Amino acid sequence: MKSKLSAALAAFSIVATTALAGALFVSTPAQANTVWDFSTPTGDQGLTHVYTGNDLTSQITASAFGPATGCRPTSTGTCPHLFGKNLGSDELGLGLTNDPSGENEITTTSFIQLDLSKLVLTSSTISFSANSVTNGETVVVIGTQIAGTLGSGTIPGGSSVFSCTILGPGNGCEGTFNIDNAGSFKFLDVTASDDASNVLLHTVDAAAVPGPIAGAGLPGLILAGGGLLGWWRRRQKIA
C-alpha cells in the first residue's frame, strides 16, 4: 500500500511540476508584433465589429460613425454600418455603408473609430495602412481619448497623428506608415479629407502583449491534480 501511495505521489509531483511550468509560461506572454487585417470579414458588419489580431487574442473594436437622422444603437437602416471589402488590388479594407458613391468607403463626413483600450502595448508606435487612396484623395488618422457620438460625423476632440494626400499618379499613401505616438490614445479615428475622397482602412500593426490562452495555466494544473487523485482512489478500491 505504501509503495502504491508513494508512486501516486511521485506521479502527481511530476504532473504538477509540468502543469505549473505551463501555467507560468502561459501567464507570462512575450512581446509580439500583432497585425489586424480589416479586409475580412466582408460585407455589412453592423455598427461595431471586434477584430482579432494574428496573435489570436488581441482585439480592436471598430465602430461606424456618420451623420444620420434618428440614428440610435438599435437602428438597422438609418445608421452607417461598417463594410468589409476584399475585391483585390488596392480595394481591400474596411469602409462605411453611407458612401455617396455607393463604393462603401470612408468619406469626409464620416469616420471609423478604433478602440485600443483592450490592448496592452509595449510601444506607443503603431503602424497603419490605407487602401483605395487615389489621386487627389486624403486619408487622415486622429488620436483621441473620447468615444464618438452615434449619429454624428463630428470627430471628437483630438490630434491629427497621420495624414497623406495623393498629389499625382501612383498610390503613395497605401504603404505602411509608422505613427510614433498613436498608442498613447484610447481611440484612433480614421477618416477622409476633401469632399471627393473615399478611402479604406486596411491594416493596423502594433507591439501588443497577447492575452492568456483559455484553458491553460493554473486551471490545467487543478484538472491534472484532480484527475490523478481520482485515479489513485480507484486503484485503492480495486486493491
Side-chain angles (χ1 to χ4, degrees):
M1 182 70 67
K2 184 176 180 181
S3 60
K4 290 181 179 179
L5 177 59
S6 298
L9 290 175
F12 176 76
S13 177
I14 293 172
V15 173
T17 302
T18 303
L20 181 59
L24 292 174
F25 177 78
V26 172
S27 63
T28 310
Q31 178 176 332
N33 198 39
T34 305
V35 179
W36 292 263
D37 184 346
F38 295 93
S39 61
T40 56
T42 58
D44 191 326
Q45 302 304 314
L47 295 174
T48 66
H49 187 82
V50 177
Y51 291 83
T52 302
N54 62 353
D55 65 358
L56 304 182
T57 60
S58 301
Q59 295 182 331
I60 292 177
T61 299
S63 300
F65 292 94
T69 302
C71 179
R72 56 189 188 280
T74 56
S75 298
T76 56
T78 59
C79 300
H81 287 189
L82 301 167
F83 193 92
K85 293 182 70 173
N86 195 331
L87 301 180
S89 186
D90 69 342
E91 294 295 316
L92 305 171
L94 190 63
L96 296 169
T97 56
N98 66 343
D99 181 355
S101 71
E103 296 178 348
N104 294 307
E105 299 186 1
I106 309 168
T107 60
T108 189
T109 58
S110 303
F111 64 98
I112 292 175
Q113 185 167 83
L114 302 180
D115 184 350
L116 309 181
S117 63
K118 293 182 180 179
L119 301 182
V120 178
L121 301 177
T122 59
S123 171
S124 62
T125 298
I126 290 180
S127 299
F128 165 85
S129 72
N131 257 199
S132 193
V133 187
T134 56
N135 191 20
E137 295 184 333
T138 301
V139 57
V140 179
V141 180
I142 295 172
T144 180
Q145 310 295 358
I146 306 170
T149 302
L150 197 64
S152 170
T154 302
I155 293 176
S159 305
S160 176
V161 293
F162 174 80
S163 179
C164 186
T165 304
I166 297 291
L167 298 177
N171 58 352
C173 292
E174 295 180 358
T176 300
F177 298 89
N178 291 332
I179 306 175
D180 289 338
N181 63 336
S184 62
F185 296 97
K186 292 181 181 179
F187 305 98
L188 294 180
D189 297 333
V190 183
T191 188
S193 180
D194 301 324
D195 291 343
S197 297
N198 62 346
V199 301
L200 292 171
L201 162 63
H202 185 209
T203 64
V204 166
D205 183 326
V209 177
I213 299 172
L218 187 58
L221 174 59
I222 295 172
L223 289 174
L228 186 57
L229 182 60
W231 169 82
W232 181 75
R233 285 178 174 174
R234 288 194 298 273
R235 289 295 300 269
Q236 288 291 90
K237 290 180 179 179
I238 294 173

